[in-house]
Amino acid sequence: YNGKQIPNTRHPRGGEYNCERVVSLLLSSPCYMARREADYETQSGMVGVFTPECRIDGSYHHTQCVGSVCYCAESTTGRELEDSKRPIGSSDEYCEERRNVYESSDCYQTMMSAKEAPEQFTPECDDFGSYQPRQTDGSRNFCVDRDGNELIETEGGVRGAEYCQELREIHDNSPCY
């Protein structure tokens, strides 16, 4: 879309390189597929269709805008990060930093590596890179602090872990921890 070089595609002339394969993989990324679908809907006459901005590696751009409002987006899904909406023109630097903090966090890195190893525990993260107060590993529920350290294991499934947010607040504000 923008004429920029696709990363890792430069190669010597005459050398073996399957450019079609690389471009095919890029265009099959979730972002470019969503973009193509939005373009199709717009061409079909639909009004107000959201068209995502994609990076040249196929991931979602850190800033997505709808009308005059922009939000920070997660790179692999384009999902809006909580509490990130800003007026157009004042969001780009904020969203780049916000997504960098989120995606470089221990929680996010652990979550992404666990997706590649299904037998591994997959943590749930908030949109600021901290661990969600309640974590579930199979049938086991437990409460954690912002860094993922277990505070207490709970009995009774999800119902037993309904007070994890309150327990975390006590933990955060207590001189005992």
Side-chain angles (χ1 to χ4, degrees):
Y1 284 104
N2 59 19
K4 292 183 180 177
Q5 178 183 324
I6 299 171
N8 304 316
T9 60
R10 185 174 291 266
H11 63 284
R13 281 192 189 267
E16 281 194 37
Y17 188 78
N18 189 341
C19 207
E20 285 182 28
R21 181 180 177 279
V22 172
V23 170
S24 177
L25 288 172
L26 173 67
L27 294 178
S28 66
S29 71
C31 187
Y32 278 101
M33 289 175 61
R35 186 176 181 85
R36 266 197 317 279
E37 179 67 25
D39 288 345
Y40 173 77
E41 290 174 352
T42 300
Q43 291 169 0
S44 298
M46 290 185 76
V47 179
V49 176
F50 169 68
T51 303
E53 290 296 321
C54 306
R55 296 179 47 155
I56 59 175
D57 64 359
S59 64
Y60 286 83
H61 191 272
H62 52 73
T63 306
Q64 300 290 323
C65 298
V66 180
S68 63
V69 176
C70 299
Y71 63 88
C72 306
E74 196 264 341
S75 64
T76 58
T77 64
R79 181 182 61 79
E80 179 181 337
L81 297 180
E82 177 187 347
D83 200 26
S84 68
K85 288 183 178 164
R86 299 284 184 274
I88 199 164
S90 67
S91 56
D92 214 38
E93 281 183 37
Y94 171 77
C95 285
E96 184 175 14
E97 174 65 21
R98 170 81 186 272
R99 182 162 86 183
N100 186 40
V101 167
Y102 170 65
E103 293 187 358
S104 64
S105 71
D106 177 61
C107 186
Y108 182 85
Q109 294 296 315
T110 303
M111 177 179 69
M112 295 310 284
S113 65
K115 287 183 178 183
E116 295 176 17
E119 70 284 352
Q120 198 175 10
F121 164 65
T122 304
E124 293 181 39
C125 312
D126 68 18
D127 288 343
F128 298 93
S130 296
Y131 287 77
Q132 290 284 7
R134 183 180 73 215
Q135 299 289 319
T136 302
D137 187 7
S139 62
R140 181 175 169 262
N141 292 285
F142 53 101
C143 302
V144 298
D145 65 13
R146 293 177 198 292
D147 298 321
N149 301 310
E150 188 170 334
L151 298 174
I152 187 171
E153 184 171 349
T154 58
E155 304 276 334
V158 173
R159 179 138 176 85
E162 68 185 299
Y163 298 107
C164 286
Q165 180 63 42
E166 290 83 354
L167 181 61
R168 177 185 279 179
E169 288 171 12
I170 291 168
H171 178 268
D172 287 350
N173 296 311
S174 172
C176 297
Y177 294 102

